Amino acid sequence: MFFTTLPDIRAIGSMLTLSLLILMPYTQAEAAPIRFLVGYPTEASAPYYLDSGTEIPANNPGYSVEIMQEVGKRIKEVRFQLVRCEFNQCLEQIKTGKLDGLFNVPYREHWLFTGKYPFTKAKVDPLQKLYGEEYALYRVKDDRKITTDGDRIYGLKNRGVAVKNHSPVIPLLETHNYPVQSYATTTEALQALLRREVPASVLVVSHVDALARMHPELSDLISRAEYGLHEEDYYLMLSRQFYAKKPWLAEKIWTEQTKVQQELGEKLANKYIR
């Protein structure tokens, strides 16, 4: 019968120890977080990102920025780095792979070749959106002449409609030749309505609801028309290059972003919506 001698055992142990020491740097390198470059636009769009320019505000950067920062803290495999660029430049950079992610991107079919949206069952997954906007018509509560069928607005008599600056419904309203008056915040647009400077406001439902939670009396002063006018969902787009290399990590990022949005969404809405 063959027996391994004590010197042989020591020799084998030394070889194993040496092998582990050689492999350790490679294991540690694989475990190190990889840089994940995430872009968002330079032009402010409250409440999602505040302060125009290339700087990332140290305090109160905006709803979407805080969501992304929290995702970065939770995903240990990547080291999030936020950068700002003009939106069309951001799109070009994610197409070439210079950016790994770009957030606050509306779904557009022709952008499917630019980057990757979160998909399920061969279509974009609205459950994994970063946020959604539903636009509705608001009027002073005692004014039932102002109404909509979801397409046209009735009862304006060539008077203006109050909206937020840069609202995506502006082109829609202008298509029907409705006079548009833009305001910096949802609150200012509603104040113009309550002062009867305009007969109607077209605003994001969730934003008005957030203000009504903070100011319950608002519900007694305004009413919402039955039919919505416009809906838009916004997503975190990932580069096709990043997804091809690490599809499991891309899916993990979208999943974690959805969890963060569900956990912090209302708190951040109350913080930023004005």
Side-chain angles (χ1 to χ4, degrees):
M1 184 179 292
F2 175 77
F3 291 92
T4 301
T5 64
L6 186 59
D8 292 332
I9 294 173
R10 287 175 176 171
I12 293 170
S14 298
M15 292 175 63
L16 288 172
T17 301
L18 180 61
S19 298
L20 289 171
L21 289 172
I22 292 172
L23 290 172
M24 192 176 295
Y26 295 98
T27 304
Q28 291 174 339
E30 290 175 359
I34 59 174
R35 188 185 72 165
F36 187 81
L37 204 59
V38 191
Y40 74 98
T42 51
E43 185 174 353
S45 178
Y48 308 111
Y49 32 89
L50 308 184
D51 298 345
S52 295
T54 57
E55 297 295 321
I56 312 295
N59 298 305
N60 302 324
Y63 176 100
S64 299
V65 182
E66 287 208 33
I67 293 286
M68 286 295 105
Q69 288 174 332
E70 181 62 25
V71 174
K73 293 175 184 177
R74 297 188 185 189
I75 303 290
K76 303 304 181 184
E77 294 89 343
V78 295
R79 177 169 50 85
F80 267 55
Q81 182 177 335
L82 297 175
V83 297
R84 302 184 73 172
C85 44
E86 192 274 325
F87 184 70
N88 288 330
Q89 292 177 349
C90 285
L91 284 175
E92 184 60 32
Q93 289 181 32
I94 202 167
K95 185 175 183 179
T96 61
K98 185 175 181 180
L99 284 177
D100 301 300
L102 173 62
F103 60 91
N104 279 33
V105 183
Y107 176 74
R108 299 288 184 270
E109 188 173 349
H110 62 275
W111 285 344
L112 291 174
F113 300 98
T114 299
K116 293 281 290 185
Y117 291 94
F119 261 56
T120 184
K121 296 181 180 179
K123 61 181 181 180
V124 68
D125 185 1
L127 297 178
Q128 296 195 80
K129 63 191 175 189
L130 184 55
Y131 66 90
E133 292 184 334
E134 177 189 0
Y135 285 83
L137 176 74
Y138 291 89
R139 64 240 168 159
V140 175
K141 205 155 193 174
D142 61 3
D143 190 354
R144 293 292 177 176
K145 295 179 181 179
I146 303 297
T147 188
T148 179
D149 57 7
D151 179 28
R152 302 188 69 87
I153 299 173
Y154 301 98
L156 290 177
K157 297 181 179 178
N158 295 321
R159 293 173 294 167
V161 178
V163 299
K164 265 191 65 179
N165 291 342
H166 313 298
S167 172
V169 299
I170 292 176
L172 175 66
L173 296 172
E174 290 178 340
T175 298
H176 293 294
N177 296 317
Y178 301 140
V180 173
Q181 295 186 31
S182 296
Y183 297 86
T185 66
T186 300
T187 296
E188 290 179 25
L190 287 172
Q191 287 172 338
L193 175 65
L194 292 172
R195 291 193 299 264
R196 300 182 186 264
E197 295 172 3
V198 291
S201 293
V202 177
L203 301 166
V204 178
V205 172
S206 61
H207 295 183
V208 176
D209 288 348
L211 290 171
R213 287 194 297 270
M214 292 182 272
H215 307 282
E217 68 277 9
L218 188 60
S219 299
D220 296 325
L221 299 174
I222 64 171
S223 66
R224 170 186 165 188
E226 179 181 358
Y227 298 101
L229 285 165
H230 179 71
E231 289 188 38
E232 189 85 271
D233 290 337
Y234 295 81
Y235 295 87
L236 167 64
M237 175 184 279
L238 301 181
S239 76
R240 302 182 71 85
Q241 294 86 340
F242 180 84
Y243 192 93
K245 290 178 182 178
K246 295 186 180 292
W248 64 271
L249 185 52
E251 296 292 343
K252 182 176 181 178
I253 290 170
W254 279 321
T255 298
E256 197 61 44
Q257 171 236 284
T258 303
K259 290 180 181 177
V260 171
Q261 194 275 333
Q262 291 171 346
E263 292 172 13
L264 302 182
E266 184 172 333
K267 176 183 175 182
L268 291 174
N270 291 339
K271 176 179 178 179
Y272 284 108
I273 293 174
R274 297 290 181 267

